[in-house]
Amino acid sequence: MNRAEEALKRKPKRWVMNLIFFVAMIVAIVFSFSGSKINWSRFRSIGHSLRVMLAGFADLQWDFFFGTGIFQFKEGVVYLTLVTLAIAFIGTFIGAVLAIPFGFLASQNIVGKHVARIGEAILVIIRVFPEIILALILVKGFGMNALTGVLTIGLHSIGMLGKLFAEAIDNMDKSPLEALDAVGANIWQKIRYGVIPQVAADISSITLYRLDINVRSATVLGIIGAGGLGASLILAAESWSWNILGTILLAIVVMVLVVDVISSYLRGKLV
Amino acid sequence: MTKYTLTNGKTVTKPFNKIWIIVGSVVLLLFLFSRLIPYDASFIKLGELRIIIVKLFTPKGNRTWNDYFSYIFTSLIEPLKETLNMSFAGTLLGSLMAVPLAVLSAKNIVKLPIIYIPARTIMNLFRTIPAMILALIAVFFVGTGILSGIIAITLFTFGIMSKMLYEVIETIDMSPVEALESTGAKKVESLRYAVMPQVLPVFISYLIYIFEINVRSSTILGYVGAGGIGTVIKDNILYNYDRVGASIILMFVVILVVQLISSLVRSKLQ
Amino acid sequence: MIKFVDVSKTYPNGVQALKNVNLEIHDGEFVGIIGLSGAGKSTLLRSINKMISITSGQLYIDDVEISSIKGAELRLLRRSIGMIFQSFNLVKRMSVFNNVLTGRVAYHPTFKTVFGLFPKEDKLMALESLDTMGILEKAFTRADQLSGGQQQRVALARALTQRPKLILADEPVASLDPITTVQVMDDFHRINKNFGITVVANMHHVDLALKYATRIIGIKDGEVVYDGPSAHISDDTLVSIYGRSLRHDEVLGE
């Protein structure tokens, strides 16, 4: 009995810290809301807003969707969705190709600790720069069109892809490199026969995952004129035309889900 | 397929490498998709690009450098607070909301397809809608301002957190759950004592990671009226490039700091 | 007392794991169950606390027929039965103390246990169990910092903290090295003798079962083919249980 009681006194008291932590969290959340000037008149009309939204969703514009009737095919949601996909796909491809040298540059296995630090720093800077801001700048140089979207996604993807590629290269089995050293291979031969066969699957899987993210980004970037669905989306949103918004939203959900399913299926095959 | 004949007469056939199918489809897709991207050399005005960069990062007209930077520390502080507030509240609320959905989506905890299939459907629905569109819808319901930002970030976080969390729950060690059940514990109690200790550190690490994502994406949310720095950028994009540039510098520093703290804390948690 | 009356278990995939088992296990016994892997040892053991439900027959624990009980009644039954697993089944990231305390969870209402509110007596009970197992000084370390033998003792302490009248052990030493195996089996022996807790254990190593158990139940293809005191078991009997002579991995040897 005594031994047990003594031991109980030694028990670290964590609940005080936990309590303080929880109270702090709650205070912080309440504080976060206090800054939001709540628009009560909007709140009172939430029921009405919901009816307006649902009525719009019930009245999807199929001519607009397929680009038939009074609409040109190139104005239709289907075409714009394909453009959005094209922006995401080509952007991701460019990003992945550019990220490979960065991945090697940020990998301790390949270039050593010190150079890898520099490579990592460059990637952090690319990653930190918000996509929308990049697009805002690029739109001046490349115009209000899909090309800007492609370049934005391509450049922005380098940051995260480069980092993940470097991790993949650092996690691989190093013994084949030793074996290649033993047969007298130079650095390029080591990369070709020792590194690429090992990391190709990982790199493809990471890129597919990024494609998933970029499909969403491509939609969003359109709102500042970088091509695809975004421009029509923001136009419809400014006039709250829920029938048009709903039509576009349907396309977005289907597109994202389809890409998600294909990408995770292919990633499953790669492992 | 290539056939090799060795000197002793044996033949070896090298099978067709599937890599060429992949390379082929990627090239084909690139070709098809590139036809959808309009390209014209006249689009490209690299001079404009240089001008805009200069305009962003130098004071406008008769403003001084002092004006440029003091703007950051005076007028941008309130929007920055809004950005961080809405990211914080949205991340925390969305993550808490995600916990029950993640549990209901985990096959190893809820063995009934009638529960986990609808749960996953809800999860996927929220996950597919980009945060910006959630913000647009929120603005429609509650008006512009950070409340719609909080709602958008909450719903976005709810979607990705429930997905990430349920994947973690499905890979936990189930043996303590068995042990808890053998002591006569209820389902909730097994969750509390056998599942939660395994999942909590990962949950916190994801929480920080998603906060990082949300701070970054809050810029774009402001662009559709959800408050914070994004709204400042949108309001000034036509006439005051230097204000936009100052906002960009501030966001860059803030995201960098958040990212450094986030990766530091997450590496401690592992 | 545990009583099996014509108990059978058929899994949904058609495998018949138990065939008309009739058994009586009395309070305070130390029963070793032996047999080939897949013979139904684990099913037999797990049917006692209804971790596996039987498909026909009756199973009585202290004269209560358990094949129909569920919900609160079932949890009450499980609370009174400790269970030890081959891979310890501890929450690795949690402290030893909190792991042992989970043995008390079923004694309190959910709203208390969910917030980790246990009365002081329970905490002392947990620490005493750890003291009994000789690992009190490890109480506030994380479970995954302990060796396999120590982890199995934590699991035993958890079971003791339930204040059980019966402990079921499913291959309790199969993941341990020979030296710790003997120590943990000694612990089982001590618990059985000092506290009068009935022990029913599945054993892979036949010589261990013969040494520690007072009674041996031999299972072959879901049927009880031997039931008697461990002292009288002959090599021929073992051959009849295993259908062949023992392999050397089925004997620990000392």
Side-chain angles (χ1 to χ4, degrees), chain B residues 173-186 188-189 192-194 197-199 201-202 269-270, chain C residues 46 49 51 75 78-79 81 83 85 89-94 102 105-106 108 110 113-114 116 118 158 162:
Chain B
D173 173 12
M174 284 299 282
S175 73
V177 177
E178 190 189 18
L180 257 290
E181 272 168 15
S182 84
T183 70
K186 291 185 194 122
V188 196
E189 292 163 334
R192 163 68 178 80
Y193 287 99
Q198 295 187 61
V199 175
V202 191
L269 276 171
Q270 247 121 58
Chain C
R46 280 158 190 261
N49 62 350
M51 293 298 274
R75 290 197 297 271
R78 285 182 178 167
R79 191 175 85 175
I81 301 175
M83 189 162 194
F85 304 85
N89 293 21
L90 299 178
V91 184
K92 295 194 179 61
R93 307 192 65 119
M94 216 153 74
T102 59
V105 161
H108 303 290
T110 315
T113 52
V114 161
F118 290 92
R158 174 173 65 195
Q162 285 173 245

Side-chain angles (χ1 to χ4, degrees), chain B residues 79-94:
Chain B
L80 175 66
K81 257 170 47 193
E82 284 182 9
T83 292
L84 292 177
N85 276 350
M86 68 189 196
S87 308
F88 174 81
T91 308
L92 214 56
L93 289 175

Side-chain angles (χ1 to χ4, degrees), chain C residues 154-172:
Chain C
V154 174
L156 262 168
R158 174 173 65 195
L160 281 183
T161 311
Q162 285 173 245
R163 289 287 181 268
K165 50 188 188 211
L166 162 69
I167 288 182
L168 306 173
D170 196 4
E171 304 279 5

Side-chain angles (χ1 to χ4, degrees), chain C:
Chain C
M1 193 182 73
I2 308 164
K3 194 168 157 196
F4 285 72
V5 181
D6 278 332
V7 168
S8 298
K9 167 71 185 177
T10 311
Y11 283 103
N13 63 7
V15 174
Q16 198 177 4
L18 295 177
K19 291 174 198 159
N20 301 323
V21 172
N22 286 289
L23 278 176
E24 251 180 56
I25 296 172
H26 300 281
D27 291 346
E29 280 193 286
F30 193 133
V31 180
I33 305 174
I34 61 172
L36 287 169
S37 56
K41 300 192 299 267
S42 200
T43 309
L44 181 75
L45 195 83
R46 280 158 190 261
S47 62
I48 296 174
N49 62 350
K50 232 187 154 194
M51 293 298 274
I52 289 173
S53 313
I54 58 173
T55 36
S56 71
Q58 289 95 44
L59 216 167
Y60 297 93
I61 310 250
D62 292 336
D63 298 322
V64 178
E65 211 285 308
I66 66 157
S67 58
S68 58
I69 67 168
K70 53 184 184 224
E73 243 183 319
L74 173 61
R75 290 197 297 271
L76 222 56
L77 168 79
R78 285 182 178 167
R79 191 175 85 175
S80 69
I81 301 175
M83 189 162 194
I84 302 296
F85 304 85
Q86 175 177 345
S87 47
F88 328 132
N89 293 21
L90 299 178
V91 184
K92 295 194 179 61
R93 307 192 65 119
M94 216 153 74
S95 72
V96 165
F97 174 71
N98 280 336
N99 264 293
V100 176
L101 208 49
T102 59
R104 300 302 296 174
V105 161
Y107 281 87
H108 303 290
T110 315
F111 72 89
K112 281 190 178 164
T113 52
V114 161
F115 293 102
L117 302 171
F118 290 92
K120 195 180 174 200
E121 307 91 78
D122 281 23
K123 294 179 186 167
L124 287 174
M125 227 183 265
L127 290 166
E128 276 163 42
S129 308
L130 281 170
D131 200 16
T132 310
M133 300 313 302
I135 42 169
L136 183 61
E137 74 282 4
K138 299 283 183 198
F140 304 112
T141 36
R142 250 168 69 153
D144 55 4
Q145 311 271 303
L146 269 55
S147 70
Q150 288 172 326
Q151 290 196 31
Q152 196 58 298
R153 288 203 185 114
V154 174
L156 262 168
R158 174 173 65 195
L160 281 183
T161 311
Q162 285 173 245
R163 289 287 181 268
K165 50 188 188 211
L166 162 69
I167 288 182
L168 306 173
D170 196 4
E171 304 279 5
V173 292
S175 337
L176 301 177
D177 62 73
I179 295 167
T180 12
T181 291
V182 172
Q183 291 168 347
V184 168
M185 287 313 297
D186 284 341
D187 289 331
F188 273 103
H189 179 73
R190 210 150 44 86
I191 288 166
N192 175 246
K193 278 280 156 303
N194 298 357
F195 301 103
I197 296 173
T198 317
V199 175
V200 183
N202 284 342
M203 308 282 284
H204 179 74
H205 299 296
V206 175
D207 53 343
L208 273 184
L210 296 185
K211 181 177 166 198
Y212 287 97
T214 50
R215 172 178 168 192
I216 296 290
I217 294 172
I219 307 235
K220 193 185 173 194
D221 297 331
E223 286 175 277
V224 175
V225 291
Y226 177 83
D227 184 2
S230 51
H232 302 155
I233 206 160
S234 68
D235 285 352
D236 288 346
T237 319
L238 289 178
V239 170
S240 75
I241 296 170
Y242 281 82
R244 54 170 167 74
S245 53
L246 293 177
R247 290 200 313 247
H248 73 269
D249 70 292
E250 283 155 354
V251 193
L252 185 70
E254 273 169 73

Side-chain angles (χ1 to χ4, degrees), chain A residues 25 28 36 42 49 86 124 127-128 132-133 137 140-141 145 216 220 224 240 242 249 252 256 260, chain B residues 33 43-45 48-49 88 92 127-128 132-133 136 139-141 146-147 220 223 241 248 252 256 259:
Chain A
M25 282 290 154
S36 61
R42 287 273 190 150
S49 306
V124 166
R127 213 157 58 229
V128 163
I132 183 98
I133 293 176
I137 297 174
K140 296 290 168 190
N145 57 55
R216 274 159 247 226
V220 170
I224 54 131
W240 299 118
W242 283 107
L249 211 53
I252 293 174
V256 173
D260 190 290
Chain B
F33 277 141
F43 291 166
I44 300 170
K45 305 190 187 84
E48 292 278 326
L49 201 59
F88 174 81
L92 214 56
R127 224 162 44 81
T128 31
M132 190 268 296
I133 293 171
L136 268 177
V139 167
F140 179 69
F141 280 98
I146 79 161
L147 186 63
I220 201 158
Y223 217 80
Y241 281 113
I248 292 176
F252 182 82
L256 190 66
Q259 187 170 318

